Amino acid sequence: MNQFVSPPLAPMLENVFQLPPAITFDQAAASYVEHGGDNRYLPRIVEYFQGRALATIFPFDIYQMAEKLYPTVSNATRNRQALTPARSVLIHGYERGWCNRILLRRFKEEPKKRKIPAAPVWLHAFARQAEKDGLMHVAAIVLFMAHTGARVSEAVALEWPQVDLANRTALLLKTKTSTNSSRSLTDELVLRLHELRAENHWSPRVFRYRCRHSVNERIRDVCKRAGISYKSSHACGRHSFATNSSENGIDVKTAMQAGGWRSVEIFLGTYVTPKQNSGRIVADRFNAYQYDADL
């Protein structure tokens, strides 16, 4: 009788369960970018994890990477430039079945110091001084940012083909969110832009500037001559738009859509500045209720 001898089990299992080669972080990052991911902060992270298998990277490794690459910056910067892009790659890898899902806690951030926005009276004083100095384009760019919520980089890049004075709109191309954004123009802006176009018809750029630093330098000079506090382009632009919209009674969703915000948390937590005497304002509104009066 021939006795059956089973073959060794290990070689059989090796042939049946052939594991694919481990995907590295840099390979996953390349796939992430190829499928539409943001590559702005990834190169340094890819270099740090070069050749390392995606499945062997754990939260502790990500925290160490963030602290090594950005040892002297704030936790907010580490979260934005290290944790967020690394987590995006890991999520992409998980969705493709290359690694397990991991949870990352953000570094604790210090509360941001609120910028003091430009109130209408500040804008009025600034515009008058700029006009007195013959700097019509400076007054126009500041009022453009304050009335539309445009970032200084968007205002600087604005060219005449994107401005429709008949329909009172301006199209901001390639904004921070990588999408075009249409803004409505006030009557004040339409009038000023008509004057600028007649004066600067030779320039493709509406406000003539090529970088935000030049805008802020000129704002500082005008503020000094006007005897008013200096406010950066961001403070007299998006911060001013958000706060003044709120104070004019415009609801949050409408103001956000008009100014191009997507996050309610950022809009309210960063850009809308409450009044210092907010408690008294609310109490005075409640004074309208007379509870001992007949109904």
Side-chain angles (χ1 to χ4, degrees):
M1 178 183 295
N2 292 330
Q3 187 176 6
F4 175 76
V5 179
S6 62
L9 185 59
M12 292 179 60
L13 292 178
E14 264 184 39
N15 294 330
V16 175
F17 301 104
Q18 197 66 272
L19 296 177
I23 299 296
T24 61
F25 184 90
D26 41 299
Q27 290 173 326
S31 174
Y32 167 71
V33 173
E34 181 184 350
H35 289 84
D38 187 2
N39 192 39
R40 184 178 182 184
Y41 299 117
L42 270 179
R44 294 186 68 188
I45 302 173
V46 168
E47 183 180 358
Y48 181 90
F49 287 121
Q50 186 73 35
R52 183 163 173 180
L54 193 67
T56 67
I57 297 175
F58 298 96
F60 183 78
D61 303 313
I62 302 295
Y63 303 140
Q64 281 197 318
M65 174 273 295
E67 292 173 352
K68 184 171 182 179
L69 294 184
Y70 301 100
T72 60
V73 302
S74 66
N75 282 344
T77 301
R78 288 195 186 103
N79 287 333
R80 182 177 64 255
Q81 297 183 193
L83 260 63
T84 297
R87 178 172 54 192
S88 298
V89 172
L90 289 167
I91 291 174
H92 178 74
Y94 167 72
E95 290 175 345
R96 298 205 59 175
W98 294 338
C99 65
N100 293 326
R101 186 176 182 179
I102 68 171
L103 297 177
L104 282 174
R105 56 171 178 78
R106 294 169 62 86
F107 289 107
K108 185 177 180 181
E109 299 181 13
E110 294 295 327
K112 293 182 179 179
K113 185 177 180 180
R114 287 182 180 271
K115 288 182 171 62
I116 300 177
V121 65
W122 186 98
L123 293 168
H124 181 76
F126 182 91
R128 288 188 61 181
Q129 183 63 48
E131 291 168 5
K132 181 179 177 181
D133 297 337
L135 302 173
M136 304 299 292
H137 60 292
V138 179
I141 193 172
V142 167
L143 291 176
F144 178 79
M145 293 185 293
H147 288 183
T148 66
R151 301 174 179 86
V152 63
S153 58
E154 296 165 344
V156 165
L158 185 67
E159 297 187 353
W160 288 115
Q162 285 86 57
V163 178
D164 185 347
L165 295 178
N167 291 311
R168 300 189 302 169
T169 61
L171 184 64
L172 305 180
L173 301 180
K174 297 181 180 179
T175 65
K176 188 176 180 181
T177 56
S178 300
T179 57
N180 297 339
S181 179
S182 179
R183 303 297 167 87
S184 297
L185 305 177
T186 60
D187 294 340
E188 173 87 12
L189 283 176
V190 170
L191 178 61
R192 289 179 180 274
L193 292 177
H194 268 299
E195 294 173 352
L196 281 186
R197 187 162 63 177
E199 179 185 351
N200 302 324
H201 58 85
W202 49 270
S203 174
R205 290 177 181 260
V206 174
F207 302 110
R208 304 192 312 193
Y209 289 105
R210 292 190 174 275
C211 73
R212 62 185 178 88
H213 301 293
S214 299
V215 177
N216 282 298
E217 287 174 4
R218 193 50 61 93
I219 291 175
R220 188 182 298 276
D221 292 340
V222 173
C223 288
K224 186 176 181 179
R225 288 191 292 271
I228 58 178
S229 60
Y230 165 72
K231 296 189 184 301
S232 68
S233 56
H234 206 51
C236 62
R238 285 178 77 72
H239 285 270
S240 174
F241 179 89
T243 299
N244 292 336
S245 295
S246 177
E247 292 183 355
N248 284 331
I250 300 173
D251 65 272
V252 172
K253 283 291 187 181
T254 299
M256 286 178 58
Q257 185 170 355
W261 278 275
R262 293 183 178 181
S263 167
V264 175
E265 180 183 358
I266 292 176
F267 179 76
L268 294 177
T270 302
Y271 288 95
V272 176
T273 302
K275 290 183 175 294
Q276 292 184 352
N277 57 337
S278 56
R280 173 45 49 196
I281 292 173
V282 174
D284 288 343
R285 293 289 180 91
F286 284 167
N287 283 336
Y289 297 102
Q290 300 295 322
Y291 297 103
D292 59 349
D294 294 332
L295 297 178

